[in-house]
Amino acid sequence: MAVNLYELGYMADSTITESEIAAQSYYSIYNAQQSSVFSFGGDIHKRIMESYADRREKDFTSRFGKTPQQYLEDSMIQQDIFESQKDFLRDLENMDVQFKKASGRAKKSLDDLKRIKADADANSAQLKTIINDIKNWEKTTQDYLNLMATVGDTFANTQQITTSNISGQTPKGLAMSTNALTSFEKASLLLEKTRENMEKIGMDVKKLKKTQLTTPVIKGGNMVKNKKTNRVINDKMSLDSVIQNSMRGYISSIKGIIFEIAVANALNDTANDLVKEVFMLGQADGITIKDSRGKQVTSMSTSKTDVAYKDNQGFQVNLSLKNQKHDSGKPIQTSFLSTSLIQYLRMVGTSEESQKLLIAGFNSNSNFNAKTSGINIFLASLVADMAIGSGGVDKIDFIVFNNGIMSLGDYYRNLTGKVSIFAKIKNKNSINSILGANGSVADVSGTLNVTVRD
């Protein structure tokens, strides 16, 4: 018989409280399976995160015969990666800062252009600044692509990877991600068109505002052609949309994979006898999440492991890469998992009642989505290992930042109290029926995001 929250006395004032959640129990998810059972209260999230850290370290030690910290010291893998790539990674970070500044200036100049176009002659000095800002954006963005193109093809060559290389400088390793490959090609061609248009426009403000950039439609690194005419199909974009939206998206898609390629190259080139084989797995299938009886609950579509290698003992070491600094002194928010709300409920709820209470809570109590609230940190901690460390064959061993490597256990301890979730229910009008006698948890529609404030 279905659980009816109203008949059980809940939702009398249309709100679910933390105390009502605290009276229930919920699964934590460890190594892709429903694991320990916890109830909300006090600093329970610290116990959950510490249990993840301890278990990860024990699992690692049982596999390798040494702790993660001892492994890092003995293997010298940190030195192998960062010593060989430090100049490239430093230049990449500096270039990213320049790109963001140039993009901000170009966006402001385009906004200014809208205000002065009616009287361009009276604003000739400002118009010159606007033109220069756009040209500087184009040059800075091209410099950024040029730098990323120098990442090298060492790893790609071991995999016999080839690309059509429309831009003429696309790194082969980008073929490991069709989105990144397409983004690099599109970005290169758009910049070429931008240069051509700026040369034609000169100081003509009217022409500048009407600028349309025509570039080929690209999929998987290849230009798309009309099947009947065999002609290349073109897209049209305004200069505004390219600077303010498209190019930022392309750069974002490219730079994460570039970091993965750099690490894969470094591991492939390592001078010691540790590394026998290197893999890039970020685009591979993820893993199946199972309940406490081994039955599938849900699955993750992509792998949490970005780069892996097999050592000389035949053990595979899985690395999750974050192209950002750790302990940089600046607040950084990272999204680790986006899934459907129903999948989250199936994973953590120990009963239909506890699942329906979460639905009602997310729908009625804003504190459930407040990042620093105790209930939010508790609920996020339940799935932190799955979101960050995954499980099974996709179990992460180390987190690699662009300024160092950290074991997963140490990372969990560092993130205690900083993991949060945000849930959004799509069809709130149907919540009453879901919570009633005939409603099914499976009818809830919405999304859930797990993020970390580092």
Side-chain angles (χ1 to χ4, degrees):
M1 183 176 178
V3 170
N4 187 327
L5 288 195
Y6 302 103
E7 288 184 355
L8 292 174
Y10 296 110
M11 301 298 289
D13 60 354
S14 300
T15 303
I16 290 295
T17 64
E18 291 185 358
S19 62
E20 289 171 318
I21 292 294
Q24 299 291 322
S25 58
Y26 295 90
Y27 284 114
S28 64
I29 312 299
Y30 177 78
N31 201 21
Q33 289 194 354
Q34 290 175 337
S35 184
S36 304
V37 175
F38 294 93
S39 294
F40 173 63
D43 60 356
I44 188 64
H45 65 280
K46 294 181 180 179
R47 281 177 49 201
I48 296 173
M49 296 300 287
E50 184 60 34
S51 72
Y52 291 152
D54 286 345
R55 293 176 72 176
R56 286 290 185 178
E57 288 172 347
K58 288 176 181 176
D59 287 350
F60 187 95
T61 303
S62 68
R63 284 166 58 213
F64 291 93
K66 57 183 69 176
T67 67
Q69 290 74 19
Q70 289 171 333
Y71 183 91
L72 284 178
E73 292 173 7
D74 294 346
S75 68
M76 299 185 68
I77 204 71
Q78 180 157 293
Q79 291 91 323
D80 285 332
I81 292 176
F82 292 101
E83 284 302 310
S84 66
Q85 297 293 320
K86 64 179 181 180
D87 291 341
F88 177 74
L89 294 176
R90 182 198 60 232
D91 293 345
L92 204 62
E93 182 180 6
N94 292 339
M95 202 71 244
D96 192 59
V97 172
Q98 292 180 47
F99 168 74
K100 288 174 180 175
K101 288 181 178 178
S103 295
R105 285 194 297 269
K107 178 183 181 301
K108 182 181 180 301
S109 287
L110 285 171
D111 291 339
D112 291 341
L113 188 59
K114 297 172 186 176
R115 292 190 289 272
I116 71 168
K117 67 177 182 178
D119 192 8
D121 292 338
N123 295 278
S124 58
Q126 189 174 3
L127 180 59
K128 185 175 181 180
T129 298
I130 290 170
I131 297 291
N132 286 337
D133 283 344
I134 295 170
K135 287 183 176 180
N136 180 63
W137 169 84
E138 178 274 318
K139 182 181 182 303
T140 301
T141 308
Q142 185 63 65
D143 288 345
Y144 200 173
L145 292 180
N146 291 346
L147 175 62
M148 288 192 282
T150 66
V151 66
D153 293 328
T154 304
F155 169 77
N157 289 336
T158 67
Q159 307 297 307
Q160 288 82 51
I161 293 173
T162 59
T163 66
S164 56
N165 207 345
I166 299 170
S167 74
Q169 63 171 6
T170 306
K172 292 179 184 178
L174 287 182
M176 300 298 292
S177 167
T178 54
N179 287 339
L181 178 63
T182 294
S183 292
F184 195 97
E185 301 284 26
K186 291 278 284 189
S188 298
L189 295 176
L190 279 170
L191 285 175
E192 186 179 330
K193 289 293 181 182
T194 303
R195 274 193 300 277
E196 292 175 1
N197 276 270
M198 294 304 292
E199 290 173 2
K200 293 177 183 176
I201 288 165
M203 297 293 288
D204 192 327
V205 66
K206 293 180 181 179
K207 287 184 180 179
L208 182 60
K209 282 305 298 175
K210 294 179 181 179
T211 297
Q212 290 287 328
L213 304 177
T214 304
T215 59
V217 174
I218 301 172
K219 288 186 178 179
N222 295 304
M223 289 185 285
V224 178
K225 296 184 178 181
N226 184 298
K227 292 182 179 179
K228 292 184 178 179
T229 64
N230 201 36
R231 292 180 179 176
V232 173
I233 300 174
N234 289 291
D235 267 339
K236 285 188 176 182
M237 298 185 188
S238 68
L239 188 59
D240 277 42
S241 67
V242 170
I243 291 177
Q244 299 190 39
N245 299 307
S246 302
M247 194 60 73
R248 294 184 185 207
Y250 295 151
I251 292 295
S252 178
S253 174
I254 300 163
K255 67 181 184 180
I257 305 301
I258 287 292
F259 181 47
E260 293 177 22
I261 296 170
V263 172
N265 285 346
L267 289 170
N268 191 80
D269 294 342
T270 185
N272 65 38
D273 295 328
L274 173 73
V275 177
K276 297 302 180 185
E277 190 175 1
V278 182
F279 315 90
M280 284 182 67
L281 299 175
Q283 302 302 306
D285 291 341
I287 45 93
T288 298
I289 311 297
K290 296 180 179 180
D291 64 19
S292 55
R293 296 177 298 277
K295 181 181 178 182
Q296 177 175 338
V297 177
T298 185
S299 62
M300 298 175 68
S301 58
T302 56
S303 173
K304 286 293 176 183
T305 298
D306 297 307
V307 176
Y309 65 88
K310 282 189 178 178
D311 68 10
N312 53 16
Q313 300 297 315
F315 293 117
Q316 182 166 315
V317 179
N318 290 351
L319 309 176
S320 176
L321 275 55
K322 304 298 168 192
N323 192 7
Q324 60 193 46
K325 279 194 178 337
H326 177 66
D327 286 339
S328 64
K330 299 178 181 178
I332 298 174
Q333 180 166 303
T334 305
S335 178
F336 274 93
L337 177 69
S338 179
T339 188
S340 65
L341 186 56
I342 182 61
Q343 302 292 38
Y344 173 82
L345 298 172
R346 285 173 176 162
M347 286 185 281
V348 304
T350 58
S351 66
E352 183 185 349
E353 183 176 345
S354 65
Q355 291 175 351
K356 282 192 174 182
L357 280 170
L358 284 183
I359 297 169
F362 284 125
N363 184 60
S364 66
N365 193 332
S366 60
N367 202 32
F368 278 46
N369 272 329
K371 293 180 180 179
T372 56
S373 74
I375 189 68
N376 187 289
I377 294 172
F378 164 67
L379 295 172
S381 298
L382 294 174
V383 293
D385 179 72
M386 181 202 69
I388 301 168
S390 199
V393 295
D394 192 32
K395 182 164 54 177
I396 300 302
D397 296 301
F398 297 102
I399 304 286
V400 181
F401 300 91
N402 56 24
N403 65 334
I405 301 176
M406 182 180 289
S407 73
L408 200 56
D410 284 343
Y411 190 52
Y412 284 160
R413 293 187 181 98
N414 183 262
L415 295 180
T416 299
K418 301 177 183 178
V419 184
S420 60
I421 59 176
F422 178 79
K424 185 175 183 180
I425 295 177
K426 290 183 181 178
N427 302 314
K428 292 194 174 185
N429 293 335
S430 66
I431 292 299
N432 287 339
S433 61
I434 291 172
L435 301 181
N438 298 320
S440 169
V441 174
D443 294 331
V444 67
S445 178
T447 57
L448 181 128
N449 292 288
V450 180
T451 60
V452 164
R453 304 178 307 283
D454 190 13

